[in-house]
Amino acid sequence: TTIQGGTLNTLNGGLMQTSGAATLDASSHGAITLSDGSTYTAGAGTLTSITGTLNLGTSTGSTFDLGGQLQLTGDLTLSGPGIVVMSSTDGQTGQIGTDGNGRTLNNQTTIEGSGLIGSDASNVFPHLSLNNTGTINANVNGQSLTIGGDGGIITNAGLFEATNGGILDLSTINPVNNSGGNITANGGTVNISTTIQGGTLNTLNGGLMQT
């Protein structure tokens, strides 16, 4: 079904998850807040449509666990101290894409793991612009987190990084405006097959950054 606004909570080992397909409408009746310490699971084989503002906690943070498809039906802002954990399980990969229209993901928090941001598979499409002022971290050893697609504007004023042996693939059709931002290979690999404009590039702890 569709949830509009309000607060989602998991307590005492409780599980809240997308069953098949669901919509988180964090616009029509205000933002949706996933309370501190709570986890929302959008697992492999599921489709979660979303728009508006998703607050990942207010002080200590919460977790949005993404192993399925996250479809933006409008612009989305991810805020708060929590994290989105993307994962690849059961032969499927966590993906963030659009409903076929141009949409913008405003990331003010942390997205980590492995998967595809700017997808073109099944129900999610690659027309995703990205405005990152938080952190996007490929941190799963030997697995890739790809920022791709044909979104019109790709801006990083925060941090793109690869850690813990993870692989960050930057392969957007349009340039990455990295002015004021950092792209860092910190014990991981950053593969660049797009245009980087401005900003700072870093390699640390044996990290590899390469064309």
Side-chain angles (χ1 to χ4, degrees):
T1 188
T2 297
I3 304 298
Q4 296 177 321
T7 302
L8 310 181
N9 313 278
T10 60
L11 303 167
N12 300 314
L15 173 64
M16 187 177 298
Q17 63 183 356
T18 295
S19 179
T23 298
L24 300 179
D25 179 354
S27 177
S28 297
H29 293 278
I32 291 176
T33 298
L34 184 60
S35 67
D36 291 327
S38 294
T39 298
Y40 186 97
T41 302
T46 66
L47 173 65
T48 306
S49 298
I50 192 167
T51 186
T53 298
L54 178 64
N55 297 317
L56 295 174
T58 55
S59 58
T60 59
S62 57
T63 301
F64 191 94
D65 191 358
L66 179 62
Q69 295 184 325
L70 188 66
Q71 180 193 72
L72 272 65
T73 56
D75 294 344
L76 172 66
T77 297
L78 295 173
S79 68
I83 58 174
V84 176
V85 180
M86 302 181 70
S87 60
S88 302
T89 57
D90 301 326
Q92 299 188 43
T93 299
Q95 299 176 28
I96 302 175
T98 75
D99 57 357
N101 297 296
R103 308 296 187 189
T104 299
L105 171 62
N106 298 295
N107 179 51
Q108 300 170 0
T109 184
T110 297
I111 300 173
E112 66 180 35
S114 62
L116 177 57
I117 299 171
S119 182
D120 190 13
S122 187
N123 296 299
V124 287
F125 299 91
H127 316 311
L128 185 69
S129 292
L130 175 63
N131 178 26
N132 180 59
T133 55
T135 297
I136 298 179
N137 182 9
N139 65 350
V140 180
N141 187 27
Q143 295 190 26
S144 294
L145 177 58
T146 300
I147 300 175
D150 58 6
I153 298 174
I154 309 296
T155 301
N156 176 43
L159 175 64
F160 289 163
E161 66 176 345
T163 66
N164 193 43
I167 303 164
L168 179 65
D169 290 321
L170 300 178
S171 58
T172 56
I173 298 299
N174 287 306
V176 175
N177 177 357
N178 191 48
S179 178
N182 281 270
I183 300 173
T184 303
N186 183 3
T189 300
V190 176
N191 293 322
I192 297 176
S193 55
T194 184
T195 297
I196 305 298
Q197 297 175 323
T200 303
L201 309 181
N202 315 277
T203 59
L204 304 168
N205 299 315
L208 173 64
M209 186 177 299
Q210 62 183 357
T211 297

